[in-house]
Amino acid sequence: MSPPTTTDRILDSAETLFFTDGIAVTGVDRVAASAGVAIATLYKHVGSKDGLLEAVLERRLRSWTEHWDAAIEAADSPTDELLAVFDAVTSFRASAGATQWCSFLATASERPHPPGAGADPVLDLVDRDTRLVTDRLRELARSADLDDPQAVASSLLLLYNGVLGSLLRGTPDDPVALARRLALSVVTGSTGRTA
């Protein structure tokens, strides 16, 4: 394995600091120091603090999508494909750097989008993540030939969001496994058959 590039070191440091200490309180000087680069080098690679946050979220969204794609690919049935979102959370968290919880929810909580505000590439990434999760759950629920795919997708989205919040709180223990079991109950209840 080749050593991380300068950009990777900057993004790794930013991701860890942004999503453990907070975005607003983390200055680019701390990110640069953590990455072992000069501030001028950081700016050369990412342009600005917003550019840094955007690059971190873009990379994280790409990685999350890859994990979810792999979990769906490994699934044995349409039901398992639908529940793969929880398997993807487990594999993604095992490979991701140390962070408190979902970087997209953290960003949304620290960076509200006031009505009438102009375009914001960072919040556009938050929206892309939201659309990915909601649209994919809906499509997978339809593919599973459920009685009410929209209701199932909404229920699974609620469970998924609950997992992310529970990871931040640290309770209950193993929220991913619990949410997956509850999601299976939702899915089997919608089909009238057992999985």
Side-chain angles (χ1 to χ4, degrees):
M1 178 185 277
S2 58
T5 66
T6 300
T7 300
D8 288 335
R9 287 197 335 265
I10 292 168
L11 296 181
D12 289 345
S13 294
E15 184 173 323
T16 299
L17 291 168
F18 283 162
F19 304 120
T20 54
D21 296 346
I23 299 165
V25 300
T26 300
V28 292
D29 55 334
R30 283 185 61 209
V31 174
S34 175
V37 300
I39 292 176
T41 301
L42 183 147
Y43 282 125
K44 177 183 168 195
H45 284 265
V46 296
S48 65
K49 183 174 179 180
D50 275 359
L52 178 59
L53 179 56
E54 183 180 354
V56 166
L57 290 175
E58 182 72 49
R59 183 177 75 161
R60 202 148 161 114
L61 182 59
R62 188 172 46 254
S63 178
W64 162 242
T65 304
E66 290 168 0
H67 279 268
W68 198 359
D69 289 346
I72 290 170
E73 183 68 30
D76 294 327
S77 69
T79 295
D80 287 339
E81 289 178 0
L82 185 53
L83 300 178
V85 65
F86 301 105
D87 304 328
V89 170
T90 299
S91 70
F92 179 75
R93 286 186 55 77
S95 72
T99 59
Q100 289 184 337
W101 68 320
C102 174
S103 58
F104 295 95
L105 291 176
T107 301
S109 71
E110 284 199 47
R111 194 181 182 110
H113 193 66
D120 184 333
V122 169
L123 290 179
D124 289 346
L125 281 161
V126 173
D127 291 342
R128 277 179 46 203
D129 175 66
T130 301
R131 283 191 311 275
L132 170 70
V133 175
T134 55
D135 293 348
R136 186 174 277 190
L137 286 174
R138 188 178 317 111
E139 290 166 17
L140 291 169
R142 284 188 189 118
S143 296
D145 198 28
L146 302 175
D147 293 338
D148 190 347
Q150 181 60 48
V152 170
S154 294
S155 296
L156 268 57
L157 179 61
L158 186 63
L159 289 168
Y160 169 79
N161 286 332
V163 164
L164 300 178
S166 294
L167 291 169
L168 178 62
R169 286 185 180 274
T171 188
D173 292 336
D174 202 359
V176 179
L178 177 58
R180 194 182 196 288
R181 286 193 304 273
L182 291 170
L184 180 59
S185 296
V186 169
V187 172
T188 57
S190 178
T191 62
R193 59 183 185 268
T194 58

